[in-house]
Amino acid sequence: MSNASASQSVPDAAGRFGSFGGRYVPETLTRALDELTAEYAKAQQDPQFQAELDDLFQNFVGRPSPLYFARRLTERCGGAQIWLKREDLNHTGAHKINNTLGQALLTLRMKKKRVIAETGAGQHGVATATACAHFGIPCVVYMGEEDIRRQAPNVNSMKLLGAEVRPVTSGSRTLRDAINEAMRDWMSSVETTHYILGSVVGPHPFPRIVRDFQSVIGRETRAQSLTRIGRLPDCVVACVGGGSNAAGMFYPFVGDTSVKLIGVEAGGRSSRPGDHASPLSYGTPGILHGSFSYVMQDEDGQTCDVHSISAGLDYPGVGPEHSYWKDAGRVSYTACEDDDALRGFDALAQCEGILPALESSHAVAHAMKVAATMKKEQTLVVCLSGRGDKDAAEITRLRG
Amino acid sequence: MTNIDTLFAQLATSKKKALMPFVTAGDPDLQFTAEVIRELDRRGCTMCEVGIPYSDPIADGPVIQASYTRALEHKIKVKEILAMLAKVSGEVKMPLVTMISFAIIHRYGLERFVQDAKAAGVSGAIVPDLLVEEAEKFSAICKAADFNLIQLVTPTTPRERAIRIANSSSGFLYYVSIAGITGERTQLPADLVDNVSWLKSQTKLPICIGFGISQPEHVNLLKPVADGLIVGSAIVRRVAEAATRDRAEVLKDVGQYVTSLLSALE
C-alpha cells in the first residue's frame, strides 16, 4: 500500500477490509448483526458510553497498563531496547478484558438478557465471565475439551465467577469447535442473547468492534512511547492467533510508517500442514466463521486441523484486517515454533521475573531475535498480551 | 426454465406439493448415498437436497453435523460427490440440488462449481452462508448457466429484506421455520403459517419450508401454505444407522418414513 493511512479507513460499510472480511453466516443471524452494527454506531457517538468504558478501564481493569523497559532482557539480546506493554497486569491477566467490558456495555444497551462466548486458552472466557459478573448478566462459555484439559485454572475461575462452562466434544475439541458451538447457540437464542466474540474474527461488525475496543493498547503505547522514550518505537511485535491483541496494538500505529509492525503466528512443530497454526504464513484466502480471510484449508475449502502449544493460538483462521495488512505490506507476519516460544517464556521469566502467557511467549521469542539485529539506540515494544500462570502446569507437564 | 421451474409449474397445475428429503453425501459412503437417493425417488419424493459435507457447519444441528464429520473422516472430495451425482441423476426422475457452504464453492471456484454441478445433473444450490449482500457475483454466474441459486428467509428476517431475498432467488425460496439450527422438533412456531402466507403474497416463487419438520402433523399443518416441505435430520438420523445395521433394512425404513410424509402431503 502506498498510503498507509488508507489502512485506517477500513472496514467499509459492508465490513470489508479490502477484499477480506464481510459476512458469511446463516440468514438467521443477520438481524442481530445489523442490530449490533447500529448499536455500536450509536455508542460511538455517545460520550456517556465512552466515559463509562474509560472509567471501567481505569478503575476496574487498572489501565493504563505500564510500558516497562526490560533492561536485563535487552542486555541479553544485545541490540535494541526491549519494552513490554504490560497487558498481563490487567484485571483477569490479559488484554481480553478490554473487549469484553466494551461488548458487555453493548449487551446492556441492546437489552439482551444473556451472554455466550467461546474460549481457547480461557482468557476470553474468564474476561467474559468477569464482565458478566460485574454487570449481573447470565453467561455461558463454550470451550473445547482439549482446551479444558490444558487450561484448568481458567476453567475453575470461570465457574467461580458464576459462568457455565460447556465442554465442546466435536472436531479437534479446541477453539475452532468452541466458536462453531457458540454460533449454533446464537442461532437458537439470537433474540435474547449477545455473543461476545473474543477476537477480531467472525462476521461484520465483530472484527471492527473488537479491534476498536482493543485499540486502547496501541493508543496507550503510542502516547507512553512519546513520553517515556521521547519518540515512537522503531518496531512493535505482537502474537497473532485470531489476532485481537495485535490488531489493538497495531491499529493506532498503522499510519506511522516509520514503525515496523510484526505479527508472530504459532509455528507449532514445523511448517507441515497440521503441525502449526499459521494461516498468514502458510494459508490461503478462504471463508471461516463468517468472514473471508487467510485460513488453513484443503483444496475443497475444508478447514485443516492445526496445532500450537498455546491453546489461545490454536486456531486455523485469523482476523480479516490482518489479511488486509499482510497483502498491503503494512505488517510483516512470521511464525515462531513451540520450542522457540518456550525459550521466550524462559527468557522473560528468568531475566525479568515475569511469567508470560504462552501466546505472548511467541512474540517475546521473535522480538528477541529481531532486537538482536537492531542498533542499541533503537527501541522495540512487545505486546505482552497475558500472564502465564494459566500455562505453568502445562509447561511443567510438557517438560516431564 | 430449469428443471426446478418446470417441476413447480407441473405441481401447481396438478395442485400438488413437493416433498424434498435431504441426504448427506458420503454418509456412510457414496455408494449408499446413491442407493438412498434412488429409494427416495422410487417412493415418489419430488426433489432431493444433497448435503455436501463441510468441516465447520454453523446452521446445522448435531445430527447433520455428525453426518458431515462421518463423511469427511473418509476424506471425501467434492469431485467424488459430483461423480456420484452424475451417475445417479440420470437414473432418477426428481431434480437434485446441493446444500453447500460458500467456503467450499469459493475454494472450488464459483464458475467451475456451477459448470461441474450442472454437468453432474444438479439443478441448483442452496448456500446457507451466502447472504443476499454477498451473492451478486455467484448469482450472476448461476443465472448465466441457468442454474438455480436458492436463498433462505428466516423468522428473524425483516419483511423488506425478505422481499429483497425473494427477488434475488430462483427456483424456489427456502423458508426456515425456526430461528435456530437444523433438527427435528415436536412443535413449530405458532406464527409460522401466517409468516409464510404473507411471504406468498409478496413473491411468485414457490416457497418451501425446512428446519424442524419431521412429522406427518407438521405436513398437515403446513401443506395449505407451503409449495414444498424439506425434511433433513429425520432422514439423516435413519441413514446413519447404515453404519451398524443391515443396509437393506435401513433403506426400507427410510422409504417407509418418506411414504408416511408423502401420504400426509396428498
Side-chain angles (χ1 to χ4, degrees):
Chain A
M1 178 188 352
S2 56
N3 181 6
S5 65
S7 293
Q8 290 175 308
S9 65
V10 293
D12 64 14
R16 288 277 174 188
F17 301 85
S19 62
F20 298 105
R23 262 186 206 170
Y24 297 91
V25 291
E27 171 65 23
T28 299
L29 298 180
T30 54
R31 194 166 81 188
L33 292 169
D34 283 344
E35 183 186 6
L36 180 60
T37 305
E39 196 59 50
Y40 180 61
K42 278 194 272 178
Q44 281 184 301
Q45 302 300 316
D46 181 356
Q48 203 177 332
F49 177 83
Q50 199 53 56
E52 192 170 356
L53 190 58
D54 287 346
D55 181 68
L56 284 166
F57 278 176
Q58 187 178 334
N59 299 309
F60 187 67
V61 177
R63 303 205 70 91
S65 66
L67 182 67
Y68 163 76
F69 176 52
R71 183 179 58 80
R72 292 192 65 228
L73 189 68
T74 296
E75 287 168 2
R76 175 167 165 167
C77 296
Q81 300 160 34
I82 301 174
W83 295 68
L84 306 175
K85 179 59 175 168
R86 298 292 307 276
E87 292 298 297
D88 61 313
L89 293 180
N90 289 343
H91 178 46
T92 72
H95 69 290
K96 294 290 188 185
I97 191 75
N98 303 326
N99 169 50
T100 59
L101 286 170
Q103 287 205 48
L105 283 175
L106 291 175
T107 305
L108 295 175
R109 286 178 70 102
M110 292 186 291
K111 299 187 169 38
K112 303 260 173 163
K113 306 290 183 206
R114 172 178 176 261
V115 154
I116 55 171
E118 85 299 328
T119 197
Q123 288 303 127
H124 175 60
V126 170
T128 307
T130 300
C132 287
H134 179 81
F135 290 114
I137 311 170
C139 173
V140 172
V141 180
Y142 289 90
M143 188 169 186
E145 266 195 344
E146 169 63 11
D147 291 339
I148 286 176
R149 183 194 65 73
R150 289 195 282 189
Q151 304 290 342
N154 277 341
V155 175
N156 191 42
S157 296
M158 283 183 263
K159 289 178 179 171
L160 292 174
L161 287 159
E164 179 191 343
V165 181
R166 288 194 187 162
V168 176
T169 56
S170 56
S172 55
R173 295 171 294 130
T174 58
L175 178 58
R176 158 191 164 199
D177 310 287
I179 294 178
N180 288 337
E181 283 304 320
M183 287 272 191
R184 284 195 193 99
D185 182 318
W186 205 28
M187 287 275 291
S188 307
S189 62
V190 69
E191 302 286 348
T192 57
T193 299
H194 177 56
Y195 175 18
I196 298 189
L197 220 160
S199 194
V200 286
V201 300
H204 173 63
F206 282 111
R208 178 194 181 154
I209 288 178
V210 179
R211 176 202 73 189
D212 287 354
F213 287 140
Q214 293 295 0
S215 290
V216 66
I217 304 171
R219 285 198 306 275
E220 284 180 7
T221 302
R222 204 173 178 284
Q224 288 166 324
S225 297
L226 291 171
T227 305
R228 303 214 33 218
I229 307 170
R231 59 190 176 85
L232 293 177
D234 297 288
C235 183
V236 173
V237 182
C239 66
V240 180
S244 68
N245 89 90
M249 177 57 120
F250 294 161
Y251 183 63
F253 286 104
V254 161
D256 300 313
T257 48
S258 66
V259 182
K260 185 172 172 56
L261 305 174
I262 303 175
V264 185
E265 296 191 292
R269 294 178 287 248
S270 80
S271 59
R272 284 194 299 271
D275 265 7
H276 61 80
S278 306
L280 290 164
S281 303
Y282 307 117
T284 47
I287 292 158
L288 178 64
H289 292 145
S291 77
F292 180 59
S293 192
Y294 277 87
V295 296
M296 295 308 304
Q297 59 182 341
D298 71 7
E299 70 271 26
D300 267 3
Q302 309 289 355
T303 310
C304 299
D305 286 338
V306 291
H307 159 81
S308 171
I309 193 173
S310 164
L313 301 183
D314 201 350
Y315 182 62
V318 67
E321 191 159 21
H322 287 292
S323 296
Y324 173 70
W325 285 335
K326 171 192 159 73
D327 280 10
R330 179 61 191 97
V331 181
S332 305
Y333 294 92
T334 185
C336 167
E337 294 192 358
D338 290 345
D339 289 346
D340 263 350
L342 285 172
R343 281 190 276 276
F345 179 93
D346 289 342
L348 200 62
Q350 290 158 22
C351 288
E352 300 292 344
I354 297 169
L355 296 182
L358 273 176
E359 292 86 337
S360 319
S361 300
H362 287 70
V364 171
H366 187 71
M368 289 169 63
K369 287 182 187 169
V370 173
T373 67
M374 294 168 68
K375 295 174 184 160
K376 284 183 188 299
E377 61 271 24
Q378 290 186 298
T379 56
L380 177 152
V381 178
V382 184
C383 184
L384 200 64
S385 56
R387 69 176 180 235
D389 314 33
K390 67 185 175 63
D391 298 313
E394 179 69 358
I395 291 169
T396 304
R397 187 187 72 82
L398 287 168
R399 286 176 170 161
Chain B
M1 288 212 355
T2 66
N3 290 343
I4 297 174
D5 298 331
T6 307
L7 173 73
F8 278 106
Q10 287 168 350
L11 287 171
T13 305
S14 56
K15 298 195 184 320
K16 286 191 170 177
K17 305 297 169 95
L19 181 71
M20 295 182 217
F22 170 97
V23 293
T24 295
D27 177 33
D29 54 51
L30 285 173
Q31 190 189 346
F32 193 65
T33 305
E35 284 184 49
V36 174
I37 292 171
R38 292 185 195 105
E39 177 68 17
L40 294 168
D41 189 59
R42 271 197 296 273
R43 295 281 179 161
C45 293
T46 328
M47 193 185 313
C48 186
E49 283 181 34
V50 181
I52 310 293
Y54 176 48
S55 55
D56 294 82
I58 293 171
D60 287 303
V63 170
I64 291 177
Q65 184 205 4
S67 74
Y68 283 0
T69 303
R70 285 192 297 272
L72 290 173
E73 274 168 5
H74 300 121
K75 310 282 181 204
I76 189 171
K77 297 293 177 193
V78 173
K79 269 186 176 178
E80 295 163 353
I81 294 169
L82 293 178
M84 178 273 289
L85 292 178
K87 189 161 183 293
V88 82
S89 65
E91 301 169 6
V92 298
K93 294 188 294 292
M94 57 183 187
L96 306 176
V97 296
T98 56
M99 173 79 89
I100 181 168
S101 169
F102 195 62
I104 298 173
I105 294 176
H106 178 271
R107 181 67 166 158
Y108 195 88
L110 276 55
E111 289 194 17
R112 182 177 161 226
F113 174 75
V114 172
Q115 283 165 8
D116 288 1
K118 237 194 135 186
V122 174
S123 301
I126 302 162
V127 192
D129 51 359
L130 185 65
L131 299 177
V132 64
E133 292 84 358
E134 305 281 0
E136 199 176 332
K137 186 177 175 189
F138 187 59
S139 178
I141 291 168
C142 291
K143 199 172 177 182
D146 215 13
F147 184 81
N148 288 127
L149 174 59
I150 297 130
Q151 299 190 280
L152 295 91
V153 173
T154 77
T156 60
T157 306
R159 290 192 159 183
E160 264 182 33
R161 183 177 168 83
I163 294 168
R164 194 174 152 210
I165 294 169
N167 289 340
S168 76
S169 197
S170 69
F172 64 92
L173 196 57
Y174 191 131
Y175 190 86
V176 176
S177 70
I178 38 119
I181 53 179
T182 59
E184 297 166 66
R185 267 103 170 152
T186 49
Q187 286 218 309
L188 295 174
D191 56 358
L192 175 58
V193 170
D194 286 347
N195 286 337
V196 176
S197 297
W198 172 83
L199 193 55
K200 272 188 79 69
S201 71
Q202 304 296 316
T203 178
K204 288 180 181 168
L205 270 185
I207 297 175
C208 300
I209 307 175
F211 281 44
I213 294 160
S214 57
Q215 301 171 6
E217 293 75 21
H218 299 155
V219 176
N220 288 326
L221 173 74
L222 298 174
K223 68 181 178 186
V225 290
D227 296 293
L229 298 177
I230 301 159
V231 180
S233 294
I235 289 169
V236 173
R237 178 167 59 79
R238 285 170 170 83
V239 172
E241 293 176 8
T244 52
R245 281 180 67 200
D246 178 76
R247 291 189 170 194
E249 282 182 25
V250 172
L251 269 188
K252 194 174 155 197
D253 283 355
V254 170
Q256 284 176 343
Y257 171 66
V258 295
T259 297
S260 72
L261 297 178
L262 284 163
S263 300
L265 204 54
E266 282 296 315

